[in-house]
Amino acid sequence: MKSSKRSCRHKIIPLTLLALSPLAIGTGHASPLALPSPLTFDAGPLGTLNVQGVASGYGVWQDNKFAPTTSGPANTPATKSASADISNGQVIIQKNSGLVQFYLQAGAYNVITLGSSYFSTGTFTQNTFGALPVGYVEIAPTDNFNVQIGKLPTLIGAEYTFSYQNWNIERGLLWGQENAVNKGIQANYTMGPVTASLSWNDGFYSNRFNWVTGALTWAINKKNSVFFQAGGNMGHTNFSYSSIATTPLQNNESIYDLGYTYTGENLVVTPYVQYTSVPASAMSLAGYNGSQSTIGAAVLADYSLTNTVSVAGRVEYIANSGNPTDGNASLTGFGPRSHAWSLTVTPTYQDGGFFARAELSYVTASMQSGIGFSGTNGLAQTQLRGMVETGFMF
């Protein structure tokens, strides 16, 4: 598990993310992918530093590939039905004491999302957040207030970016509307059961600092908490800012998440709802004549069967507004006036620093004509995907 100071730092990050994160669940049994206690060493003038890491690989198979052209490099391996690669090869170094602290996370990584094309790990790392995906300096004058500056994890959503941080190997449908890492400045404050964070940043890693995000969490008691998260582009960002990480439509959106977390001895459950919208002025840059929005809901859960075995599940639904006659641009990628739902099941085994898990996911979507999954007999409305992931943590 995390060091005590690491946990203290995270107390001023929305508690719902803590409740959801497999790294911070305080149950009677082991949580999936719980990082071992960090290694510590004396770094001279820098003081005592903590080191943790993860090395893991994955294999994936899917029956129908994602058909629409997506943003990103031309060598996107969207035509592959099966692949294997590194999922995490990362080292974390942090200083978590004193007035000036820092956090550095470096290495290779991959993020696979339901219903979407996937990239090789090298392509994904190079074309998203680079070899240092998260890194920031933290000024912590008190235990309940700090300011962080640098490359920061998003405040939005109920899933983290990297696979080892989550119950499921893949990110979900609602995660596709949320940013992952942004560059900016963030203030965090906690007062009793209430936690608040506010950030000025570049949204979907666009290098245009016109986003504001915030999160508010109320820990009702040890088992129950509620959260509200919101963010949006305060202006407009030109579509020339586009990459795997910077999806142009989402980078011009407003997003709102509202949810609840129950944390029991063996069971953790987080249901939440999400709403996003993009104005017509931004959609017109994609050749679309009107505004668009999405409405979605998800339930994520994890149950610890033993000290080493757990089973996680996720159910989601998302709908995309719009008129197909106005163009094919859409927020979900399934086309305007489409809707989709998904089911994911992930059993996990962890013993010490070793872990292994399997995953089966199913996505079905009603799509605009001409948009769908590539099947053996043309466009399909469903996708079945199986994954395995295994590795070591220290």
Side-chain angles (χ1 to χ4, degrees), residues 191-362:
M191 179 180 291
V194 178
T195 299
S197 298
L198 185 66
S199 175
W200 172 55
N201 56 71
D202 66 345
F204 283 74
Y205 209 72
S206 67
N207 286 319
R208 298 278 291 178
F209 294 89
N210 51 9
W211 264 71
V212 174
T213 56
L216 185 66
T217 300
W218 175 34
I220 303 170
N221 51 44
K222 291 183 179 180
K223 291 187 176 182
N224 301 279
S225 64
V226 293
F227 64 91
F228 175 69
Q229 306 158 348
N233 195 320
M234 299 296 100
H236 291 93
T237 302
N238 191 285
F239 274 35
S240 61
Y241 298 89
S242 178
S243 68
I244 302 174
T246 311
T247 47
L249 292 181
Q250 280 82 358
N251 196 44
N252 284 283
E253 74 180 3
S254 297
I255 183 168
Y256 307 90
D257 284 0
L258 178 64
Y260 159 80
T261 296
Y262 168 80
T263 305
E265 181 180 358
N266 299 314
L267 175 67
V268 182
V269 181
T270 295
Y272 76 106
V273 294
Q274 178 192 89
Y275 175 78
T276 73
S277 64
V278 177
S281 56
M283 292 298 300
S284 65
L285 300 176
Y288 191 88
N289 294 328
S291 62
Q292 271 193 29
S293 63
T294 69
I295 182 72
V299 178
L300 301 94
D302 179 75
Y303 186 79
S304 296
L305 298 171
T306 70
N307 288 334
T308 57
V309 178
S310 63
V311 178
R314 178 180 56 207
V315 179
E316 299 176 290
Y317 172 84
I318 190 168
N320 197 129
S321 73
N323 191 334
T325 61
D326 290 336
N328 288 333
S330 68
L331 300 176
T332 60
F334 299 130
R337 199 179 294 174
S338 63
H339 59 84
W341 69 268
S342 71
L343 175 63
T344 307
V345 178
T346 311
T348 297
Y349 172 82
Q350 181 180 359
D351 186 2
F354 171 79
F355 73 91
R357 56 182 177 173
E359 182 165 289
L360 187 65
S361 63
Y362 177 79

Side-chain angles (χ1 to χ4, degrees), residues 3 11 14 50 76 82 87 91 127 160 194 213 215 233 268 287 290 297 311 333 348 353:
S3 67
K11 287 180 181 177
N50 294 337
T76 301
S87 56
V91 175
N127 290 277
Y160 285 120
V194 178
T213 56
N233 195 320
V268 182
V311 178
T348 297

Side-chain angles (χ1 to χ4, degrees), residues 28-309:
H29 295 298
S31 301
L33 306 197
L35 280 171
S37 297
L39 305 173
T40 62
F41 67 94
D42 186 351
L46 294 179
T48 299
L49 302 184
N50 294 337
V51 179
Q52 293 175 297
V54 56
S56 62
Y58 74 86
V60 59
W61 170 88
Q62 58 187 12
D63 63 346
N64 295 320
K65 300 172 289 294
F66 194 62
T69 300
T70 58
S71 62
N75 62 343
T76 301
T79 58
K80 289 187 177 181
S81 295
S83 181
D85 211 328
I86 296 170
S87 56
N88 296 282
Q90 302 192 66
V91 175
I92 300 166
I93 302 176
Q94 60 180 315
K95 180 180 184 294
N96 49 27
S97 61
L99 175 64
V100 180
Q101 306 173 22
F102 63 83
Y103 179 92
L104 301 173
Q105 184 168 339
Y109 49 91
N110 206 332
V111 177
I112 297 180
T113 307
L114 292 180
S116 298
S117 303
Y118 57 86
F119 301 80
S120 70
T121 298
T123 297
F124 189 89
T125 301
Q126 181 179 357
N127 290 277
T128 54
F129 315 115
L132 185 71
V134 181
Y136 55 84
V137 174
E138 179 178 308
I139 310 299
T142 68
D143 288 339
N144 61 349
F145 175 75
N146 67 44
V147 176
Q148 300 166 339
I149 305 171
K151 299 172 69 171
L152 304 166
T154 180
L155 291 172
I156 306 297
E159 295 181 274
Y160 285 120
T161 298
F162 307 109
S163 64
Y164 74 91
Q165 297 174 309
N166 294 287
W167 293 334
N168 305 110
I169 304 173
E170 303 167 89
R171 303 297 80 74
L173 296 176
L174 272 62
W175 189 89
Q177 306 305 311
E178 302 161 357
N179 57 2
V181 174
N182 48 63
K183 288 171 282 189
I185 182 170
Q186 178 176 312
N188 307 291
Y189 180 73
T190 182
M191 179 180 291
V194 178
T195 299
S197 298
L198 185 66
S199 175
W200 172 55
N201 56 71
D202 66 345
F204 283 74
Y205 209 72
S206 67
N207 286 319
R208 298 278 291 178
F209 294 89
N210 51 9
W211 264 71
V212 174
T213 56
L216 185 66
T217 300
W218 175 34
I220 303 170
N221 51 44
K222 291 183 179 180
K223 291 187 176 182
N224 301 279
S225 64
V226 293
F227 64 91
F228 175 69
Q229 306 158 348
N233 195 320
M234 299 296 100
H236 291 93
T237 302
N238 191 285
F239 274 35
S240 61
Y241 298 89
S242 178
S243 68
I244 302 174
T246 311
T247 47
L249 292 181
Q250 280 82 358
N251 196 44
N252 284 283
E253 74 180 3
S254 297
I255 183 168
Y256 307 90
D257 284 0
L258 178 64
Y260 159 80
T261 296
Y262 168 80
T263 305
E265 181 180 358
N266 299 314
L267 175 67
V268 182
V269 181
T270 295
Y272 76 106
V273 294
Q274 178 192 89
Y275 175 78
T276 73
S277 64
V278 177
S281 56
M283 292 298 300
S284 65
L285 300 176
Y288 191 88
N289 294 328
S291 62
Q292 271 193 29
S293 63
T294 69
I295 182 72
V299 178
L300 301 94
D302 179 75
Y303 186 79
S304 296
L305 298 171
T306 70
N307 288 334
T308 57
V309 178

Side-chain angles (χ1 to χ4, degrees), residues 13-24:
I13 289 178
L15 297 181
T16 182
L17 295 182
L18 286 178
L20 179 60
S21 170
L23 308 184

